[in-house]
Amino acid sequence: HTRLRTVTGVQTCALPIYRAAAAPGALDAGAEGVGLMRTEFLFLERDSVPTEDEQEREYRAMAESLGERTLIIRTLDIGGDKDVPYLGLEREDNSFLGLRGIRLCFERPDLFLPQLRAIVRVARDHPNVHVMFPMISTLEDFRRARALLEGVRTELDAPPIPLGVMIEVPSAALLAGQLAPEVDFFSVGTNDLTQYTLAMDRLHPQLARQTDAMHPAVLQLVALTVQAAEAHGKWVGVCGGAAGDEVGALILTGLGVKELSVSAPQIPAVKAA
């Protein structure tokens, strides 16, 4: 996803982006950075785990392609609808409620720590790098993930890195007031937040059309997140599908969202709206 700024001061991010080669096109379309680098695709498009050096090369190329523009790297978000057969993970009856995102990373430090080292090695040279953790559902989740990153950062003698969390679980939105003092930003994943709030699988053939991110319950959770963030001088972005919808973008910015992450083809329409 890439970032933009409208006349109202809202940044727009474009594209579920994970390769540096895609960045120039997104920037030409009006993006102002990368609001979501989907690092799991580095794992999905191969038959073995990428090494720390391989990951570093990808993150560094992306950071360099953006100059001083912000690059938000989301740590590994595998699970749910993203399966990686070669990892040998056990099949789960409901993978969206199982070992996914940060939960899997806690169980697999052999995957998580090399990724953190690769990110920190790049962040030493590129202060535009931010990190965000997916599937945070408790304050303890964030503190545990932050401690692991801080351990790596100390080991590599790197400067502080801006840290954010994904708000995709209702509990995270309800706890935003406790999370806000400890994070640098929030990024609302409206696709998952909607399905978890409405208890509707967004991939279900009969229910998917009802998983509406503009549902009042979902919007109330977004509003709670924004209120908590603003009370502590932090900002909120949205990187779900609602950000790329013209009406959705208007409603979200009306609620106080400061950044929109959208796919590159959606940038002109969202900016115009």
Side-chain angles (χ1 to χ4, degrees):
H1 283 266
T2 44
R3 316 178 64 170
L4 344 157
R5 185 181 300 280
T6 69
V7 292
T8 58
V10 177
Q11 285 194 324
T12 312
C13 310
L15 198 73
I17 211 168
Y18 62 99
R19 295 285 190 193
L27 295 176
D28 288 343
E32 296 187 25
V34 171
L36 169 58
M37 184 177 185
R38 297 178 182 252
T39 61
E40 59 272 12
F41 283 96
L42 302 178
F43 291 71
L44 290 167
E45 294 187 340
R46 51 189 294 146
D47 55 11
S48 61
V49 177
T51 66
E52 180 180 326
D53 288 343
E54 287 174 326
Q55 292 185 68
E56 183 197 355
R57 282 197 294 272
E58 293 289 346
Y59 306 149
R60 186 175 298 278
M62 182 70 80
E64 290 175 350
S65 72
L66 295 174
E68 296 182 356
R69 300 177 184 90
T70 299
L71 165 60
I72 300 178
I73 300 177
R74 181 176 68 183
T75 58
L76 192 58
D77 187 15
I78 285 175
D81 57 339
K82 296 188 277 292
D83 182 36
V84 183
Y86 64 79
L87 292 181
L89 304 175
E90 292 186 14
R91 183 186 177 280
E92 298 181 288
D93 289 336
N94 193 331
S95 58
F96 279 109
L97 299 180
L99 287 178
R100 182 185 171 199
I102 201 67
R103 300 169 183 172
L104 175 63
C105 289
F106 289 153
E107 295 295 322
R108 294 290 301 268
D110 60 309
L111 300 176
F112 195 36
L113 291 177
Q115 179 177 51
L116 294 180
R117 283 195 293 269
I119 294 171
V120 172
R121 285 163 63 182
V122 175
R124 282 189 304 192
D125 304 319
H126 296 280
N128 60 328
V129 171
H130 294 31
V131 173
M132 69 178 174
F133 301 119
M135 286 298 291
I136 295 293
S137 57
T138 67
L139 182 59
E140 290 72 24
D141 283 345
F142 173 69
R143 287 175 173 172
R144 183 177 177 185
R146 180 180 61 188
L148 290 170
L149 180 60
E150 285 299 297
V152 170
R153 191 177 68 81
T154 300
E155 171 194 337
L156 296 178
D157 192 26
I161 302 170
L163 296 181
V165 298
M166 295 284 292
I167 302 291
E168 20 186 12
V169 180
S171 63
L174 295 170
L175 292 172
Q178 295 178 40
L179 285 163
E182 303 197 21
V183 305
D184 293 299
F185 63 93
F186 291 121
S187 186
V188 180
T190 53
N191 297 350
D192 277 320
L193 184 62
T194 301
Q195 78 165 348
Y196 290 133
T197 301
L198 302 182
M200 291 182 180
D201 185 346
R202 59 187 171 90
L203 302 179
H204 193 287
Q206 293 169 275
L207 298 176
R209 293 180 64 184
Q210 298 179 54
T211 56
D212 180 11
M214 296 296 102
H215 189 288
V218 179
L219 294 179
Q220 285 186 52
L221 292 175
V222 175
L224 281 174
T225 303
V226 171
Q227 291 163 14
E230 289 182 343
H232 294 277
K234 309 300 169 60
W235 58 269
V236 178
V238 169
C239 61
D245 176 81
E246 294 173 40
V247 174
L250 289 170
I251 292 174
L252 292 169
T253 54
L255 289 173
V257 168
K258 300 301 183 186
E259 180 208 65
L260 299 172
S261 292
V262 306
S263 62
Q266 296 170 314
I267 294 174
V270 169
K271 275 194 159 183

